[in-house]
């Protein structure tokens, strides 16, 4: 990122590259983290979005509808439907129709799905702990607070962020 900023300052010295330095670094960190972090998921035969769906079902501890899963995972309804089909075919998620409204489907993890999440999650957390080990406790807390504040502001303005 430092090289990119230097290049921009060289060809456009009047531009304030401060926002690029922050957003660019966040994006680069996210890409690097996801590449390495997804290795345990790939070994388990899962994509990141599939694991997010399974994780949402596991952490909430109750059945969810596809719409609730979409909100929990910040995914589109179509993407959730596609992923659920694959996860159901693999025996990780099961569907149950609503007794009052046949249009509504309730989803829950199978025992196999729950066991898979419980097996993969500690590996994910160990990786994340190792990545953050270069920052001491107060630095991690400060970073978490700052990113939490940024995320809160971005979520509050989601509709206004589009050009």
């Amino acid at each position: 990122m430092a090289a990119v900023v230097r290049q921009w300052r060289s060809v456009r010295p009047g531009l304030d590259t401060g926002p690029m330095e922050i957003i660019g670094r966040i994006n680069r960190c996210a890409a690097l983290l996801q590449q390495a972090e997804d290795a345990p998921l790939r070994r388990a035969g899962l994509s990141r979005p599939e694991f997010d769906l399974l994780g949402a079902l596991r952490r909430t501890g109750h059945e969810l509808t596809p719409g609730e899963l979409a909100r929990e995972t910040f995914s589109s309804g179509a993407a959730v439907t596609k992923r659920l089909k694959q996860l159901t075919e693999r025996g990780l998620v099961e569907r149950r129709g609503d007794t009052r409204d046949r249009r509504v489907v309730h989803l829950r993890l199978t025992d196999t799905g729950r066991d898979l999440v419980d097996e993969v999650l500690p590996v994910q957390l160990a990786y994340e702990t190792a990545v953050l080990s270069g920052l001491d406790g107060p630095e991690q807390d400060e970073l978490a607070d700052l990113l939490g504040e940024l995320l809160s502001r971005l979520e509050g303005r989601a509709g206004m962020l589009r050009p």
Side-chain angles (χ1 to χ4, degrees):
M1 236 5 266
V4 169
V5 169
R6 275 195 309 277
Q7 290 167 344
W8 276 117
R9 285 183 179 158
S10 170
V11 297
R12 295 291 310 269
L15 289 179
D16 175 12
T17 58
M20 179 187 297
E21 293 179 58
I22 295 169
I23 302 298
R25 285 185 173 107
I26 290 172
N27 287 336
R28 183 76 176 133
C29 284
L32 290 169
L33 288 169
Q34 192 142 2
Q35 285 173 4
E37 184 178 1
D38 285 351
L41 299 180
R42 284 191 300 275
R43 283 193 297 274
L46 294 170
S47 68
R48 161 61 56 184
E50 289 171 335
F51 184 73
D52 288 346
L53 291 179
L54 295 174
L57 288 168
R58 180 69 171 121
R59 72 175 184 268
T60 60
H62 57 82
E63 294 180 344
L64 296 172
T65 65
E68 291 168 334
L69 262 178
R71 284 188 293 282
E72 281 288 326
T73 60
F74 305 101
S75 301
S76 71
V80 167
T81 299
K82 178 183 174 187
R83 291 177 194 128
L84 284 172
K85 182 178 185 298
Q86 296 165 341
L87 294 170
T88 302
E89 288 171 358
R90 292 177 55 196
L92 301 173
V93 173
E94 59 188 13
R95 300 166 173 265
R96 180 183 64 79
D98 191 279
T99 56
R100 291 174 292 186
D101 187 343
R102 296 178 64 192
R103 297 170 295 173
V104 176
V105 174
H106 299 275
L107 304 154
R108 67 177 166 224
L109 288 176
T110 62
D111 289 343
T112 303
R114 186 190 66 248
D115 291 347
L116 182 61
V117 171
D118 288 351
E119 179 184 319
V120 172
L121 184 59
V123 177
Q124 295 288 101
L125 292 174
Y127 167 75
E128 293 171 7
T129 298
V131 166
L132 295 173
S133 67
L135 301 173
D136 66 23
E139 289 171 325
Q140 289 183 26
D141 293 342
E142 182 180 7
L143 181 58
D145 289 344
L146 289 169
L147 290 172
E149 179 63 29
L150 177 61
L151 183 59
S152 177
R153 290 178 187 201
L154 291 172
E155 288 174 340
R157 298 180 7 196
M160 300 184 314
L161 294 176
R162 293 192 173 95

